[in-house]
């Protein structure tokens, strides 16, 4: 209807005799064509609006997928947690006995994937919440007792003990623990006990993430 009014206005207002106003031109046919064109433009506009809104939706989906991918990649990186260390980096010797408990600091790092074990403090800090397997092994020569515990945030979880071994002592223990991010695991030599180590790494500590929770 807008088109029709415009053409009529054009004819009425024009002082020049144009082709469009000549009686030879079938003005109704022309108007019909314009009407059709108008309808097609309207449809195109509708389609364009639809495509644009679909495009917006796709942008959101792509952004969401990228964010998810990033978080999955981050999670996967965090999943790679495993460490293993022997007590002495080199040489041969006893650790203990002393009259207070002592955190054992394992210096010979075999592996430390994820860097969660600190060879300066002997402490493993859980980088993600998950189920972890942690184990330690103690060896000692004859004489004083050998006793070592595995601690979570300073609390004993499991222990080994050898009562005054005659020649030498061996003991091992391990646990599966649910750890929160930041939980700290260490091993402690009891007071007045000792362990021994040499290049064969008899006394050791290790663990790994079984799966995140
Ligand atoms: C402890 O383990 C060491 C190394 O495997 C071994 O030589 C020693 O005989 C063991 N000690 C005992 C009391 O079984």
């Amino acid at each position: 209807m807008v088109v029709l009014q415009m053409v009529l206005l054009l004819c009425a207002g024009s002082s020049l005799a144009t082709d469009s106003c000549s009686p030879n031109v079938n003005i109704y046919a022309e108007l019909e064509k314009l009407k059709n064109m108008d309808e097609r433009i309207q449809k195109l506009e509708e389609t364009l609006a639809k495509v644009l809104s679909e495009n917006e939706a796709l942008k959101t989906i792509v952004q969401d997928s990228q964010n998810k991918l990033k978080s999955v990649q981050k999670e996967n990186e965090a999943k790679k947690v495993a460490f293993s260390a022997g007590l002495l980096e080199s040489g041969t010797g006893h650790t203990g006995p002393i009259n207070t408990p002592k955190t054992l600091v394992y210096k010979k790092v075999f592996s430390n994937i994820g860097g969660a074990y600190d060879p300066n403090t002997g402490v493993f800090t859980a980088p993600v919440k998950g189920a972890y397997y942690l184990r330690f092994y103690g060896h000692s020569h004859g004489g004083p007792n050998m006793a070592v515990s595995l601690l979570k945030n300073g609390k004993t979880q499991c222990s080994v003990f050898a009562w005054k071994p005659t020649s030498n002592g061996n003991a091992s223990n391990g646990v599966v623990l649910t750890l929160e991010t930041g939980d700290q695991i260490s091993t402690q030599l009891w007071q007045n006990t000792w362990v021994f180590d040499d290049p064969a790494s008899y006394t050791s500590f290790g663990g790994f993430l079984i799966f995140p929770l």
Side-chain angles (χ1 to χ4, degrees):
M1 283 306 107
V2 174
V3 172
L4 179 66
Q5 280 163 3
M6 271 171 61
V7 171
L8 290 175
L9 269 172
L10 190 72
C11 292
S14 174
S15 56
L16 297 165
T18 62
D19 279 352
S20 61
C21 296
S22 108
N24 297 337
V25 172
N26 183 343
I27 203 161
Y28 292 104
E30 295 304 314
L31 285 174
E32 190 58 30
K33 277 190 212 159
L34 281 173
K35 205 179 133 220
N36 288 345
M37 207 184 280
D38 196 42
E39 277 166 8
R40 277 163 57 199
I41 287 171
Q42 260 180 38
K43 273 198 190 121
L44 278 174
E45 279 174 352
E46 278 164 22
T47 309
L48 183 62
K50 210 172 135 215
V51 166
L52 285 176
S53 99
E54 276 171 4
N55 194 42
E56 275 312 305
L58 280 176
K59 267 194 211 162
T60 310
I61 290 169
V62 168
Q63 190 57 50
D64 284 357
S65 304
Q66 277 175 343
N67 291 347
K68 268 186 200 131
L69 183 64
K70 266 188 210 148
S71 92
V72 166
Q73 279 170 336
K74 227 174 123 190
E75 209 175 274
N76 262 336
E77 273 315 301
K79 269 181 204 165
K80 292 173 187 158
V81 185
F83 77 101
S84 184
L87 191 59
L88 297 186
E89 197 164 27
S90 62
T92 296
H94 303 285
T95 300
I98 52 170
N99 60 4
T100 55
K102 176 188 160 56
T103 299
L104 292 172
V105 182
Y106 302 80
K107 290 288 186 187
K108 191 204 258 181
V109 175
F110 293 104
S111 58
N112 193 10
I113 298 153
Y117 171 69
D118 185 346
N120 297 311
T121 59
V123 175
F124 169 79
T125 305
V128 285
K129 182 180 182 179
Y132 289 80
Y133 178 64
L134 298 139
R135 47 73 66 193
F136 60 102
Y137 197 99
H139 176 74
S140 74
H141 284 178
N145 297 332
M146 174 180 73
V148 181
S149 290
L150 185 137
L151 282 66
K152 170 185 164 184
N153 299 330
K155 281 197 186 128
T156 297
Q157 307 295 304
C158 65
S159 305
V160 296
F161 192 95
W163 176 258
K164 293 187 184 356
T166 44
S167 59
N168 57 69
N170 296 298
S172 173
N173 209 342
V175 274
V176 173
L177 291 176
T178 298
L179 300 182
E180 301 292 333
T181 304
D183 275 351
Q184 298 198 320
I185 303 295
S186 59
T187 63
Q188 202 171 59
L189 185 71
W190 295 17
Q191 61 183 39
N192 306 320
T193 74
W194 68 353
V195 286
F196 173 84
D197 202 28
D198 70 13
S201 297
Y202 290 107
T203 296
S204 66
F205 178 36
F208 51 85
L209 173 66
I210 306 167
F211 45 78
L213 290 168

